[in-house]
Amino acid sequence: MKTLSLDLETYSSVDLGKSSVYRYVESPDFDILLLGFSADGSPVQVVDLAQGEQIPPEVIDALTDDSVSKWAFNASFERVCLSEWLRRHGYPLHNDYYSVPDDPCMGYLDPAGWHCTMIWAAYLGLPLSLKDAGSALGLDKQKLTEGKDLIKYFCVPGKDGQRHFPSDAPDKWATFKAYNLRDVETEMSIQERLRKYPVPDTVWDQYHLDQQINDRGIAVDMTLVHSAIAIDERSHEELTAKLQELTMLENPNSVQQMKDWLAENGLETETLGKKQVAELLKTAPEPLQSVLVLRQQLAKSSVKKYQAMEATVCADGRVRGCFQFYGARTGRWAGRNIQLQNLPQNKMPDLEQARAIVRAGDYDAVRMLYDSTPDVLSQLIRTAFVARHGCTFFVADFSAIEARVIAWLAGEDWRQQVFAEGKDIYCASASQMFGVPVEKHGINGHLRQKGKIAELALGYGGSVGALKAMGALEMGLQEEELKPLVDAWRTANPMIVKLWWAVDDAVMTAIRMKSSTATHGIRFTCQSGMLFITLPSGRQLSYVKPRIGENQFGSPAATYMGLSAARQWDRLESYGPKFVENIVQAISRDILCYAMQTLRHCFIVAHVHDELIIEADPRMSLEAVCEQMGRTPPWAPGLQLRADGYATDFYKKD
């Protein structure tokens, strides 16, 4: 056997929608109901484990044989479920994880040899669901639509908490087996349709490392988590009671009731969003001021991530499965479950003291020492992630990675020189824009903020709207300053502006001529209904069914099929600066992957944007970690990289 295509139907009382597959399989009632498989492209067979059928020995052997390619759509689910099933049935896992006895990866099938059809689809810019991917490809054999109801019937407890068995509905069970068989056929059809566009081996290597990191997980301080949830409950009750006392509202958490109350008291507002409430607070009189402050505190979502930790933590105190490989078009990761990619910042000077107080469950001390209990809990979310006993975290991240990449790609030499000399890019940008020296906390230091907002908002063709979206007006800039700021930044960065329109021209030419073009070391190829952008690393970005359409201004524009903001498969419009943003973020992602491969001998437990979190012996050298992380890949000669880091017992933003 050389290849094995798989699909499982399983049961567990753990809600997979609110947890992870790792926690899901730990439930005592977890079981595999059906195993659909095809060996070497043969007709699909379904093993009915729920009714006593046995998995063929050759399939069992293939699961632990790295020379056999195992394929599934969202293969991590099948791999983790089968790991637990094999363990419970006394089969050895035979994986390389056991060469490191204390690695928390132990207990899961080695991902080497596993391949994911979903990742293949994502690599080619297709949707991340079997149904939507099959639909986008126009497959003859589509996922059966009855599946959702059948899964609800057989795979999760009913509303009464009871489980349904095959004998409860034989006709439904027969349809369920057909559904399982069809899923394998659909997965195989996707593989066949995508065969001429294979995923490079380097990307599969990255996927296997990603799976190891997901298997390893990251430890969570559950004492802190439980205490934070309990404190939040008391705080919520107290804040609600105060609001009720001030407003006499039955439910002061109701947006509509609160808007009506404010209007009755002379304060009209369309929304109670974060920005709008902050704006209202500037002029609101008492008692409206106090009501809005309380409303602001109640609206702060400080407890949801703690609850997610409770729902996903495994028996050994680690949360797993937090990262979705190729979760974005650029190849960057998306967060899952706890969403480490969007954790609140921590800015408290006494973070460790606040953490100790909350961990001890001392609600009165929190209320006495701090203005806002929800804010304290929010800032402590990061600190719930801890290094296991005897270890510490080494946290290292790239400094201004996207600014460095776009400067290197565009050949903006003055910026390259700033990075080479280790200077502050915000000061240097302001200096270049306004023609005067700018030093942080020094001469013309007030201009640094303008340099910073320009750097953050304008690198990808942004204009006045981008500055506003980035909070320029809230930072103190005036409306009349914004357009001159855009002009000054573009004048100071002519090579970056040139890059935008060179890429725009290359994309449009490739699509029009159904040919291959190149600029700035990037190749653009349009063939067989796809636009491929080949990056310096050799990896490609993919855009489905590219065409020349018309933009909102009536001018020609590149369009392609993709997921819209409403998560619909639709035709999307793009242009040079937006393609440059994709390219720069994709190159930045490849640099992170290169660093992860360089440091794979370390215990990488998490990564957040351009940052790695390593769990290691405190005696390990932080300097060595940063040096290795900051190495320039061989495919990016001349790129100025730097990684900075710190050691800590709990995760935080240093």
Side-chain angles (χ1 to χ4, degrees):
M1 189 188 301
K2 292 184 178 178
T3 64
L4 182 66
S5 293
L6 298 159
D7 185 73
L8 302 179
E9 304 303 339
T10 58
Y11 177 88
S12 173
S13 55
V14 171
D15 186 346
L16 192 57
K18 296 179 180 177
S19 188
S20 72
V21 63
Y22 297 90
R23 173 72 173 269
Y24 177 85
V25 302
E26 282 190 346
S27 176
D29 57 17
F30 163 76
D31 205 0
I32 296 177
L33 308 177
L34 298 172
L35 166 64
F37 74 92
S38 167
D40 296 328
S42 61
V44 179
Q45 301 176 55
V46 174
V47 181
D48 189 341
L49 283 90
Q51 299 200 101
E53 293 182 9
Q54 301 296 310
I55 300 176
E58 61 272 21
V59 174
I60 296 285
D61 291 342
L63 294 175
T64 54
D65 184 348
D66 290 348
S67 69
V68 177
S69 276
K70 275 79 67 176
W71 285 90
F73 199 94
N74 190 20
S76 60
F77 179 82
E78 271 71 18
R79 185 177 61 81
V80 173
C81 287
L82 285 163
S83 297
E84 180 64 15
W85 189 90
L86 290 169
R87 188 190 66 77
R88 291 190 187 183
H89 288 80
Y91 292 100
L93 296 182
H94 296 309
N95 66 42
D96 289 341
Y97 291 159
Y98 285 101
S99 63
V100 186
D102 61 345
D103 194 327
C105 289
M106 287 176 64
Y108 303 103
L109 286 164
D110 192 330
W114 284 80
H115 296 81
C116 182
T117 316
M118 183 178 77
I119 300 304
W120 198 350
Y123 185 81
L124 293 172
L126 293 165
L128 294 181
S129 82
L130 183 60
K131 176 179 176 292
D132 292 341
S135 178
L137 290 168
L139 298 181
D140 294 331
K141 291 187 175 179
Q142 295 276 354
K143 187 178 177 76
L144 295 179
T145 55
E146 305 96 323
K148 193 171 182 181
D149 289 338
L150 293 168
I151 287 170
K152 192 174 180 181
Y153 187 81
F154 288 114
C155 299
V156 299
K159 289 182 179 178
D160 57 0
Q162 296 301 306
R163 176 178 175 179
H164 293 121
F165 293 91
S167 56
D168 294 329
D171 289 347
K172 285 185 177 181
W173 186 252
T175 306
F176 198 35
K177 290 171 72 171
Y179 167 79
N180 179 238
L181 186 147
R182 176 59 65 85
D183 271 5
V184 182
E185 290 180 337
T186 304
E187 290 164 17
M188 292 170 66
S189 296
I190 291 174
Q191 291 177 43
E192 187 59 37
R193 185 65 62 88
L194 303 182
R195 197 165 299 283
K196 60 181 175 180
Y197 303 123
V199 176
D201 288 343
T202 52
V203 175
W204 285 128
D205 288 344
Q206 294 163 3
Y207 168 69
H208 295 146
L209 178 56
D210 159 81
Q211 292 295 284
Q212 288 184 11
I213 293 168
N214 272 308
D215 287 355
R216 182 173 291 137
I218 183 168
V220 177
D221 184 344
M222 292 308 295
T223 301
L224 175 65
V225 169
H226 295 320
S227 295
I229 290 171
I231 287 173
D232 181 81
E233 287 175 359
R234 286 190 63 182
S235 170
H236 192 274
E237 289 172 5
E238 192 172 285
L239 291 171
T240 301
K242 284 181 180 176
L243 261 183
Q244 284 177 321
E245 187 180 325
L246 284 170
T247 64
M248 303 302 290
L249 289 174
E250 182 182 343
N251 178 16
N253 291 309
S254 163
V255 173
Q256 192 56 52
Q257 286 187 36
M258 182 56 69
K259 282 165 61 177
D260 291 345
W261 184 88
L262 290 169
E264 288 168 9
N265 286 272
L267 195 60
E268 298 274 354
T269 180
E270 290 290 318
T271 174
L272 287 175
K274 184 178 177 181
K275 283 188 176 181
Q276 185 62 26
V277 171
E279 196 62 32
L280 293 172
L281 277 168
K282 292 178 182 177
T283 55
E286 288 292 358
L288 302 185
Q289 180 91 207
S290 296
V291 167
L292 287 170
V293 168
L294 289 168
R295 167 76 199 179
Q296 203 175 39
Q297 291 183 9
L298 267 173
K300 196 166 187 67
S301 178
S302 57
V303 76
K304 287 181 181 177
K305 288 192 184 294
Y306 291 115
Q307 291 171 336
M309 291 175 197
E310 263 194 336
T312 56
V313 68
C314 292
D316 64 353
R318 299 178 81 87
V319 292
R320 294 179 166 86
C322 293
F323 308 101
Q324 174 59 61
F325 188 73
Y326 245 91
R329 171 178 299 282
T330 58
R332 281 187 161 178
W333 279 264
R336 290 292 181 265
N337 306 318
I338 301 169
Q339 297 284 353
L340 275 83
Q341 315 290 10
N342 63 354
L343 298 175
Q345 294 277 3
N346 56 262
K347 299 174 181 176
M348 301 173 68
D350 58 343
L351 188 70
E352 194 160 350
Q353 174 187 301
R355 186 182 190 280
I357 293 170
V358 170
R359 193 175 191 275
D362 194 340
Y363 175 73
D364 292 333
V366 174
R367 190 178 59 172
M368 181 177 68
L369 293 172
Y370 302 101
D371 293 334
S372 169
T373 298
D375 183 60
V376 171
L377 298 180
S378 179
Q379 293 200 47
L380 290 179
I381 288 171
R382 287 175 187 264
T383 75
F385 297 105
V386 293
R388 59 183 165 149
H389 181 69
C391 294
T392 193
F393 282 154
F394 289 92
V395 183
D397 75 329
F398 289 113
S399 169
I401 183 68
E402 289 188 32
R404 291 168 184 266
V405 168
I406 198 170
W408 169 74
L409 196 61
E412 199 69 78
D413 291 338
W414 72 265
R415 298 171 71 92
Q416 286 275 78
Q417 191 63 31
V418 168
F419 294 127
E421 294 173 1
K423 293 181 178 177
D424 185 307
I425 185 61
Y426 301 143
C427 287
S429 185
S431 180
Q432 191 80 1
M433 289 162 65
F434 302 115
V436 295
V438 178
E439 295 178 10
K440 189 175 182 180
H441 308 309
I443 186 170
N444 297 314
H446 65 287
L447 293 176
R448 183 181 184 272
Q449 187 68 9
K450 294 183 179 181
K452 180 175 182 178
I453 192 71
E455 283 296 311
L456 295 175
L458 305 180
Y460 303 123
S463 187
V464 170
L467 287 169
K468 288 181 178 178
M470 197 64 70
L473 298 179
E474 289 82 358
M475 291 180 182
L477 273 72
Q478 301 302 309
E479 180 85 34
E480 60 271 16
E481 291 182 273
L482 301 186
K483 184 60 170 66
L485 193 60
V486 173
D487 295 338
W489 190 90
R490 293 183 180 181
T491 300
N493 293 277
M495 301 306 289
I496 291 178
V497 174
K498 184 177 178 181
L499 170 67
W500 297 342
W501 305 117
V503 166
D504 190 76
D505 182 62
V507 168
M508 299 282 277
T509 301
I511 296 173
R512 279 199 185 100
M513 306 301 292
K514 301 289 189 291
S515 64
S516 186
T517 59
T519 186
H520 291 77
I522 310 292
R523 181 160 293 279
F524 306 82
T525 306
C526 189
Q527 63 181 49
S528 304
M530 299 287 286
L531 171 68
F532 295 108
I533 299 179
T534 305
L535 305 167
S537 65
R539 188 170 67 91
Q540 293 181 320
L541 300 181
S542 310
Y543 301 81
V544 180
K545 296 181 181 176
R547 290 182 197 161
I548 302 299
E550 193 176 274
N551 65 20
Q552 57 183 315
F553 307 110
S555 301
T559 68
Y560 59 90
M561 296 301 292
L563 283 177
S564 68
R567 310 306 294 170
Q568 298 297 314
W569 186 247
D570 206 351
R571 185 153 291 278
L572 308 178
E573 172 199 316
S574 194
Y575 74 129
K578 183 65 178 175
F579 281 113
V580 168
E581 181 177 21
N582 283 181
I583 290 165
V584 169
Q585 291 184 350
I587 292 172
S588 300
R589 174 263 186 210
D590 288 347
I591 291 166
L592 180 68
C593 284
Y594 181 78
M596 289 167 72
Q597 296 285 8
T598 302
L599 292 164
R600 69 182 303 158
H601 60 284
C602 302
F603 274 37
I604 302 174
V605 294
H607 45 92
V608 181
H609 301 303
D610 304 311
E611 176 183 77
L612 292 181
I613 305 169
I614 294 168
E615 184 180 77
D617 187 310
R619 293 169 295 182
M620 192 168 80
S621 168
L622 175 62
E623 186 179 333
V625 168
C626 292
E627 186 277 323
Q628 290 182 50
M629 185 171 177
R631 290 176 184 174
T632 301
W635 43 262
L639 174 62
Q640 299 290 330
L641 286 181
R642 194 183 87 199
D644 300 311
Y646 58 95
T648 178
D649 292 333
F650 52 77
Y651 183 46
K652 59 184 178 180
K653 202 68 180 172
D654 195 40

